[in-house]
Amino acid sequence: MNKTYYITTPIYYPSGKLHIGNTYTTVFCDALRRYKDLKGYDSYYLTGMDEHGKKIETVAKERDMSPYDHVDEMASDTKALWDRLNISYDDFIRTTEKRHKTVVQKIFEQLLEQGDIYLGTYKGYYCMPCESFFTDSQLGENNTCPDCGRETSQLEEESYFLRLSKYQDRLLKFIEDNPDFITPESRKNEVLSFIKQGLNDLSVSRTTFDWGIKVVSNPKHVVYVWIDALSNYISALGYNTNDDSLYQKYWHGDEVVHVVGKDILRFHAIYWPIMLMALDIPVTFKLHAHGFYMMKEGKMSKSKGGVIYPDTIINHYGLDELRYFLLRELPYGSDGVFTPESFIERINYDLANDFGNLLNRTISMINKYFNGAVEYDPNVNNEFDETLETLITQTVADYRENMEILKVSEAIKSVWKLVSRTNKYIDETTPWILAKDPNKKAELQNVMYHLAESLRHIGVLLIPILLDASESLFKQLGIPEELRTWDSLEFGALKQVDVVKKPSPLFPRLDGEKEIKKLQSILRGEDKETQKPVDESNLATIDDFNKLDLRIAKVLSAKYHPNADKLLILKVDAGEKEPRQIVAGIAKHYKPEDLEDKKVVVIVNLEPVNLRGEKSNGMLLAGSNKKELKVLTVDGLKPGDAVS
Ligand code: ME8
């Protein structure tokens, strides 16, 4: 039976569009899962969304959407993003799903019954306008709200608490007995010193908002984020349900890894194992907390501008370029910086020059000197072969060792050491000189063979990292399926090489300066592709504009169209004797009651049309993009007033 491997990302908050920071964790887990697959593991990869909480409720409100519609849209955008990035996830859990909620409710009630959760009061500072509680350490100067800067007041709220203190010693012993439970070492030390200061019980419910999972035995409380969020790692596997086969197989399997960013280390290293201990579930997981990608200007945030989005990189450069940069550039255990310069340099130097060119040159030479085909002859050797062969074997070992301890960047570095060494081997063996001497034909063939065999190894090791490039390398070199596997990684396994006639570059070299400028302008939000130029060939005259009778109108009533779910039927007062009926395609964005009494802008001299059996006598003005639509409204003025 194959060993099992269960790997998870954090479940992301749908509070804004996911940036390359969140993408890093997802791509990192994807590379590890593909590596384990390559090694023959039976693996399972979970990711998803953390959809409850005050913040999400607020963001949805700002968008004039129900929380559910908002998270639904964000979940489908995120899934589409992961699909576009070819992420090999097996399940995408959403905390608003019934399968998750039921498990969380059972967990909460069990802990309550056992006395591991108890009812108490939560003291905090409350910001009225933001409707949010803050702890001492979160507050700004003079106890002001860290979000809006206004004054806060001290308030008490009834809350359930998780008894962390009871498990403190058990957790300390667990971490000490399992030295590789938390990596890197520096993060483990952070956790240990935090626990040693003494753990306060954790507030795990709220009564001040609704958007969460209700506590079954006391529904005025909703479960506050962490018990809800952390449970996803087992609810997705069917823990405590009729079919818990995935849970049995993977949670109780051979390897379980949670990958998180350093920001949520404590929750995973302290609260989660304590929850599991209290539930009598074995703590089978290992925790890896990586550093952060920063922008030159500082932190990346979903709600701030000035960050890089993965789709921008893919549109302009490509998926492998993005994967390579993200996985290579973040050092183990610390932060990294995304700059246009470093990104373009990595593509040009590492991918185009060193790696892409090596394949290109090798294929061209095999075509030129041997008409595309060479064979392995173990009897011929030149003085440089041994060093290359030893490094190939060493690279496989280094790569494996690093991947096993999640040092993906180091693993990639070891592959590039082989890439450089193989380039150097060309300089050492000087095939163009050997080619001039017919007596050196066998030696020349041996050099070509070594290049191809080294590239085959590089290709296999890059399967988890560069999805298209590894595939293309195998095709161009004519490597059969059975020699694209982990088990085939042995020098000499390739018996003969039959390459394509014309190599195609893996990574075209970019015009560095131009591309750096382009990325900089994308970051400043000035990129041409994100701007909308005016069509100068189709200008309107003032007479064209004056032809439109634009007026202020007051919405008297609104209702859903009986035969079309996108349409609303409005009666408006546009300063005429009779109300006017307008049918508008806004039902996905507005409920009828949202519009009543609003003063809107309408065009009243459009030819009337019939929309699904209802007469529409005019048009409502609204602004929109792909996601949002807002009807233009005004304060003051009266129905019939002109708009110009
Ligand atoms: O914390 N660099 O969700 P979240 C690298 N819902 N990784 C980054 C990053 C950056 N600049 N910014 C974010 C949550 N990340 C909770 C998790 S889990 C039970 C609940 C990654 O959307 C990193 O993995 O704020 C970090 O931990 C995660 O995104 C935070 O995502």
Side-chain angles (χ1 to χ4, degrees), residues 210-448:
D210 274 343
W211 183 240
I213 302 177
K214 292 224 173 326
V215 173
V216 177
S217 55
N218 187 357
K220 99 176 170 204
H221 287 256
V222 295
V223 179
Y224 188 53
V225 287
W226 286 101
I227 288 205
D228 175 356
L230 291 162
S231 306
N232 91 87
Y233 300 128
I234 51 176
S235 71
L237 297 180
Y239 163 76
N240 207 353
T241 63
N242 290 337
D243 180 6
D244 71 349
S245 49
L246 288 175
Y247 167 73
Q248 294 301 345
K249 179 173 176 185
Y250 291 109
W251 191 262
H252 293 266
D254 297 292
E255 291 178 37
V256 181
V257 183
H258 294 321
V259 177
V260 300
K262 62 178 184 178
D263 56 331
I264 52 175
L265 167 71
R266 206 177 284 172
F267 306 101
H268 286 80
I270 300 175
Y271 308 156
W272 182 223
I274 287 183
M275 273 174 69
L276 292 170
M277 285 172 183
L279 292 166
D280 208 16
I281 297 175
V283 181
T284 50
F285 72 89
K286 302 258 185 296
L287 178 65
H288 178 70
H290 60 71
F292 261 29
Y293 263 112
M294 315 291 274
M295 301 306 291
K296 244 199 229 144
E297 296 71 27
K299 244 183 113 171
M300 263 184 241
S301 145
K302 287 204 199 100
S303 49
K304 254 183 4 200
V307 307
I308 280 281
Y309 294 102
D311 27 8
T312 313
I313 299 284
I314 301 182
N315 291 345
H316 289 290
Y317 305 101
L319 178 56
D320 279 347
E321 285 83 347
L322 173 68
R323 287 176 70 96
Y324 180 78
F325 180 85
L326 289 179
L327 296 172
R328 168 70 183 76
E329 192 76 7
L330 195 76
Y332 182 80
S334 46
D335 293 340
V337 187
F338 181 98
T339 64
E341 293 81 359
S342 56
F343 178 73
I344 299 299
E345 272 177 20
R346 286 263 171 240
I347 298 186
N348 271 349
Y349 295 134
D350 298 9
L351 295 179
N353 270 13
D354 295 355
F355 175 43
N357 256 352
L358 175 62
L359 180 71
N360 219 284
R361 284 168 88 189
T362 302
I363 291 176
S364 303
M365 288 192 291
I366 293 177
N367 274 314
K368 184 169 173 197
Y369 304 136
F370 293 95
N371 214 6
V374 291
E375 281 177 15
Y376 182 36
D377 181 354
N379 301 318
V380 191
N381 255 327
N382 69 48
E383 55 184 306
F384 304 109
D385 292 347
E386 211 168 302
T387 354
L388 185 65
E389 285 173 30
T390 315
L391 188 69
I392 290 175
T393 315
Q394 186 59 44
T395 302
V396 176
D398 288 349
Y399 172 94
R400 192 189 135 275
E401 196 177 302
N402 282 313
M403 288 300 269
E404 290 296 334
I405 52 171
L406 313 191
K407 292 191 171 174
V408 176
S409 167
E410 296 299 315
I412 297 177
K413 260 192 228 165
S414 67
V415 177
W416 253 259
K417 197 169 151 195
L418 178 59
V419 169
S420 302
R421 190 70 195 75
T422 312
N423 274 318
K424 190 168 168 212
Y425 175 85
I426 301 182
D427 299 337
E428 289 167 344
T429 53
T430 55
W432 53 93
I433 297 174
L434 297 179
K436 286 190 186 136
D437 184 348
N439 294 329
K440 299 258 168 84
K441 190 103 185 154
E443 204 178 317
L444 181 61
Q445 168 159 260
N446 174 64
V447 169
M448 294 302 113

Side-chain angles (χ1 to χ4, degrees), residues 116-256:
D116 283 314
I117 286 182
Y118 63 91
L119 193 60
T121 46
Y122 170 80
K123 280 196 202 119
Y125 290 84
Y126 191 69
C127 172
M128 212 58 105
C130 297
E131 294 176 53
S132 299
F133 267 107
F134 299 102
T135 57
D136 270 350
S137 60
Q138 292 171 317
L139 287 178
E141 244 174 71
N142 301 327
N143 296 348
T144 50
C145 168
D147 288 345
C148 72
R150 279 178 272 215
E151 242 177 67
T152 59
S153 46
Q154 223 182 356
L155 268 194
E156 280 190 17
E157 190 197 354
E158 184 182 277
S159 167
Y160 285 101
F161 285 86
L162 177 65
R163 228 180 266 284
L164 297 183
S165 42
K166 174 174 157 192
Y167 292 92
Q168 176 170 326
D169 293 340
R170 210 168 128 189
L171 179 63
L172 262 184
K173 182 161 176 357
F174 179 84
I175 298 177
E176 273 153 12
D177 291 348
N178 295 276
D180 58 351
F181 171 53
I182 303 167
T183 53
E185 184 84 13
S186 55
R187 303 278 174 225
K188 178 174 96 175
N189 295 336
E190 254 174 60
V191 171
L192 281 173
S193 69
F194 185 80
I195 303 175
K196 283 177 185 158
Q197 286 167 25
L199 295 179
N200 293 324
D201 292 349
L202 176 73
S203 162
V204 292
S205 78
R206 287 288 184 272
T207 54
T208 45
F209 63 86
D210 274 343
W211 183 240
I213 302 177
K214 292 224 173 326
V215 173
V216 177
S217 55
N218 187 357
K220 99 176 170 204
H221 287 256
V222 295
V223 179
Y224 188 53
V225 287
W226 286 101
I227 288 205
D228 175 356
L230 291 162
S231 306
N232 91 87
Y233 300 128
I234 51 176
S235 71
L237 297 180
Y239 163 76
N240 207 353
T241 63
N242 290 337
D243 180 6
D244 71 349
S245 49
L246 288 175
Y247 167 73
Q248 294 301 345
K249 179 173 176 185
Y250 291 109
W251 191 262
H252 293 266
D254 297 292
E255 291 178 37
V256 181

